[in-house]
C-alpha cells in the first residue's frame, strides 16, 4: 500500500518526543524506538514511532520464521514487532518448558497505519493512504499534547526472586561443571524477578528506566495489555542494502564521577582478560552465524572489543559485518543468527539446552529482539535486556538479569553481577 508523507519542522525535538509518546498511548499497538541522541556509525533515526495496526501477525514458535517471511513478502511495507527468545524451538530440536507468567506470543509484528521518524528538528510522518487526511490534524494534536504527566501513586509492588541465592550458586556451579567437562565454553545464565497482583503505569516506568541510562536502543512497546519497557544498550542485527551488522556486547565496567578514575575504569575494562575472552568467544560465534548467509569471504570483524561509554557504564562492544546476495531474504538472515550469541553461549545449541535445564523461567521476549523491517527488506533489531515486561491483564511484572558464565567465573561473583544489573529495575519499580 502507498503511504502519504509529510515533513514538519519542530521547535523543541526533546519535548516533541515526549509529546509523541504520550499521544501514542491512545492506540492498541505501539512501538516507540529511542536512540537517546546516541549517534554512532550505524544510526538512522533519533526516534521512530509506529502505531495502529492495519495488519498483523501473531504466532507461537512453530513455523514462525516461515510465517513471518510470507507476511513480510506479502506486505512489502514497514513492519514493527518482536522475536522472542523461544523461536529457538523453530530452528533447532529444543523446547521451552519453564514457567511463564507473562503469556506473550512468541512472535508479533504489525503493519502500522501511522509512522513517525524524528531527526534533528524535523519529523517525517508517513501514513497509509486510508489515513492521509489525518496528517495535519494529528501533528496539531501531538503539538498540543501535555508532555508532563502527573502520575498517580500506585500501591507498593512486592518484588520476588524466582531463584534463591542458594539455588543460584548451585546452578552456576553445575554450569561450571558442564564447562570443565567440555560441553560448553560459555553460557548466559539468567534469573527472573517478578511481582504478582501488580499495577504499574507503563509510560511512567519507561520514563524512569530510560532516564537512568539513556541507552541507544530504548523501546516502549505496547500490544493491547502487553508491555515492554526497555533500556537496551545493544544492537542484535541490522541490514542495510547488502551489508549485515552485528554488535554484541560482552564486558561492563561502572562509571566513576572522578574523570581520572573514570578513564582508568575504561582502560581496566579494555585490558581485562576475562572480559576480552568472553567478548571474543561471542565474536567467533557471530562470525560463524553470519557466514551461513554471507557471500564467500565477506565476514569480517570491523572492530574488536571497542570500549563505549554510556551514562552509567562503560561497555565492551565488537562489530562483525558481512555481505549478502540480494536474493537472500531478510528473514533467512535473522533465522540463521537467532537467538543472538551474546544471550546464549558457545557452542550455541549445547548452551541453549543447558540454559533450559538450569533456568526456571521461560525467557519469552527477554533476550529476544524488538525492531522493524523496511519496505525494501532492510531491518534493525535490538537485544531485549535491561527491560521490564508487564501483562496488565493478569497484573504480572517481570524482569530478568543474567551474566556470561565461563571457566573463570565464580558463583558468588556472578550473583553480585546479577544484583548490580537488577538495581535499575528495582529503583524504578519502588
Amino acid at each position: 500500500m502507498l503511504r502519504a508523507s509529510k515533513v514538519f519542522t519542530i521547535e523543541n525535538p526533546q519535548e516533541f518526543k515526549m509529546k509523541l509518546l504520550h499521544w501514542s498511548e491512545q492506540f492498541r499497538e505501539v512501538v516507540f524506538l529511542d536512540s537517546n541522541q546516541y549517534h554512532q556509525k550505524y544510526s538512522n533515526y533519533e526516534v521512530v514511532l509506529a502505531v495502529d495496526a492495519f495488519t498483523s501477525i501473531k504466532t507461537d514458535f512453530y513455523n514462525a520464521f516461515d510465517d513471518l517471511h510470507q507476511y513480510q513478502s506479502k506486505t512489502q511495507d514497514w513492519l514493527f514487532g518482536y522475536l522472542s527468545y523461544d523461536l529457538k524451538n523453530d530452528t533447532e530440536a529444543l523446547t521451552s518448558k519453564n514457567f511463564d507468567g507473562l503469556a506473550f506470543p512468541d512472535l508479533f509484528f504489525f503493519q502500522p497505519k501511522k509512522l513517525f521518524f524524528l531527526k534533528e528538528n524535523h519529523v517525517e510522518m508517513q501514513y497509509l493512504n486510508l489515513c492521509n487526511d489525518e496528517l495535519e490534524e494529528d501533528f496539531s494534536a501531538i503539538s498540543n499534547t501535555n508532555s508532563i504527566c502527573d502520575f498517580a501513586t500506585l500501591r507498593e509492588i512486592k518484588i520476588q526472586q524466582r531463584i534463591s541465592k542458594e539455588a543460584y550458586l548451585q546452578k552456576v556451579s553445575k554450569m561450571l561443571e558442564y564447562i570443565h567437562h567440555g560441553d560448553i565454553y560459555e553460557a548466559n545464565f539468567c534469573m527472573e524477578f517478578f511481582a504478582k497482583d501488580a499495577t504499574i503505569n507503563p509510560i511512567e516506568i519507561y520514563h524512569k528506566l530510560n532516564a537512568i541510562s539513556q541507552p541507544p536502543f530504548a523501546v516502549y512497546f505496547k500490544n493491547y495489555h502487553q508491555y515492554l519497557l526497555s533500556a537496551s544498550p545493544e544492537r542484535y542485527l541490522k541490514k542495510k542494502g547488502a551489508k549485515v551488522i552485528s554488535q554484541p556486547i560482552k564486558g561492563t565496567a561502572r562509571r566513576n564521577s572522578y574523570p581520572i578514575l573514570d578513564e582508568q575504569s575504561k582502560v581496566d575494562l579494555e585490558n581485562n582478560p576475562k572480559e576480552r575472552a568472553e567478548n571474543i568467544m561471542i565474536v567467533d560465534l557471530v562470525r560463524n552465524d553470519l557466514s551461513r548467509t554471507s557471500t564467500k569471504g565477506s565476514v569480517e570483524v570491523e572492530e574488536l572489543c571497542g570500549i563505549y561509554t554510556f551514562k552509567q557504564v562503560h561497555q565492551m562492544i565488537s562489530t562483525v559485518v558481512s555481505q549478502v546476495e540480494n536474493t537472500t531474504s531478510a528473514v533467512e538472515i535473522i533465522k540463521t543468527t537467532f537467538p543472538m550469541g551474546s544471550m546464549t553461549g558457545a557452542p550455541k545449541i549445547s548452551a541453549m539446552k543447558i540454559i533450559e535445564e538450569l533456568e526456571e523461567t521461560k525467557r519469552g521476549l527477554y533476550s529476544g529482539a524488538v525492531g522493524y523491517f523496511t519496505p525494501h527488506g532492510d531491518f534493525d533489531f535490538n537485544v531485549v535486556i535491561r527491560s521490564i515486561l508487564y501483562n496488565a491483564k493478569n497484573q504480572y511484572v517481570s524482569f530478568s538479569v543474567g551474566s556470561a558464565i565461563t571457566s573463570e567465573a565464580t558463583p558468588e561473583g556472578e550473583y553480585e553481577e546479577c544484583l548490580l544489573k537488577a538495581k535499575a529495575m528495582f529503583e524504578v519499580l519502588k
Side-chain angles (χ1 to χ4, degrees), residues 285-347:
L285 190 156
V286 171
R287 288 172 62 205
N288 182 63
D289 281 352
L290 290 182
S291 70
R292 295 169 70 181
T293 54
S294 69
T295 57
K296 191 173 181 180
S298 70
V299 178
E300 60 178 290
V301 181
E302 208 167 68
E303 183 178 32
L304 184 64
C305 299
I307 306 300
Y308 290 79
T309 297
F310 299 92
K311 192 173 177 182
Q312 280 200 312
V313 294
H314 304 295
Q315 302 270 202
M316 186 180 285
I317 306 175
S318 292
T319 299
V320 189
V321 301
S322 68
Q323 297 286 323
V324 293
E325 299 285 358
N326 59 12
T327 51
T328 305
S329 79
V331 174
E332 182 66 16
I333 297 164
I334 293 169
K335 182 179 179 180
T336 52
T337 58
F338 194 83
M340 63 291 301
S342 61
M343 294 305 295
T344 51

Side-chain angles (χ1 to χ4, degrees), residues 61 84-90 96 106 338 362-364:
F61 70 83
S84 81
Y85 171 81
D86 301 281
L87 295 182
K88 64 185 173 63
N89 306 333
D90 185 33
S96 299
D106 288 336
F338 194 83
K362 179 182 176 180
R363 287 195 183 179

Side-chain angles (χ1 to χ4, degrees), residues 168 188-191 193 209 212 231 233-234 249-254 274-275 278 312-313 315 342-343 366 385-388 399-405 413-427:
Y168 178 90
N188 192 282
F189 180 59
C190 302
M191 64 172 167
F193 294 85
L209 189 63
I212 288 173
E234 184 173 357
I249 292 179
K250 273 285 170 269
T252 305
R254 293 191 206 201
K274 177 180 179 289
E275 304 282 23
E278 286 180 12
Q312 280 200 312
V313 294
Q315 302 270 202
S342 61
M343 294 305 295
Y366 172 72
I385 51 175
R386 299 174 206 181
S387 302
I388 294 168
F399 64 88
S400 294
V401 289
S403 65
I405 313 299
E414 299 303 317
Y415 185 76
E416 291 305 314
E417 183 177 331
C418 284
L419 292 187
L420 177 64
K421 288 176 177 175
K423 187 169 176 281
M425 276 80 82
F426 272 109
E427 274 182 35

